[in-house]
C-alpha cells in the first residue's frame, strides 16, 4: 500500500496523519495513526511499514507556496 503523511488541521488541533491512497486515515486497533510533529509521524510510519504493508511512504511539505511530497521509503 502506498501511503502519505499529510498535515491536517481541525478544530484548532494540528496533526500529521498517515493516509491511504484514497486520502482516508489509516487505523490500527481503532486508533488513527497520527502524531503532532512530522518527524514523529515519519518514525511511526516506518515502524508500522512492514506490519501494515506500506510499500512507499511520502511526506507532505510546502515549497514556494506549492504542496509537494518527498518519498522516505
Amino acid at each position: 500500500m502506498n501511503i502519505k503523511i499529510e498535515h491536517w488541521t481541525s478544530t484548532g488541533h494540528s496533526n500529521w496523519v498517515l493516509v491511504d491512497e484514497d486520502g482516508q486515515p489509516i487505523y490500527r486497533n481503532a486508533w488513527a495513526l497520527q502524531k503532532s510533529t512530522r518527524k514523529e509521524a515519519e518514525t511511526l510510519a516506518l515502524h508500522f511499514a512492514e506490519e501494515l504493508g506500506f510499500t512507499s511512504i511520502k511526506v507532505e511539505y510546502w515549497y514556494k507556496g506549492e504542496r509537494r511530497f518527498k518519498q522516505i521509503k
Side-chain angles (χ1 to χ4, degrees), residues 4-64:
K4 293 181 181 176
I5 301 172
E6 295 182 352
H7 185 250
W8 287 13
T9 305
S10 65
T11 62
H13 293 88
S14 175
N15 287 307
W16 290 87
V17 181
L18 280 64
V19 297
D20 63 16
E21 295 149 336
D22 298 321
Q24 298 299 313
I26 296 172
Y27 289 87
R28 183 176 181 274
N29 296 335
W31 292 93
L33 295 177
Q34 62 186 17
K35 289 291 184 176
S36 58
T37 69
R38 186 184 73 210
K39 192 66 175 171
E40 290 173 338
E42 288 177 15
T43 302
L44 181 69
L46 291 169
H47 176 76
F48 285 114
E50 188 173 322
E51 179 184 335
L52 298 178
F54 302 157
T55 53
S56 74
I57 302 170
K58 294 182 180 180
V59 180
E60 175 185 47
Y61 72 97
W62 292 84
Y63 180 74
K64 295 184 179 182

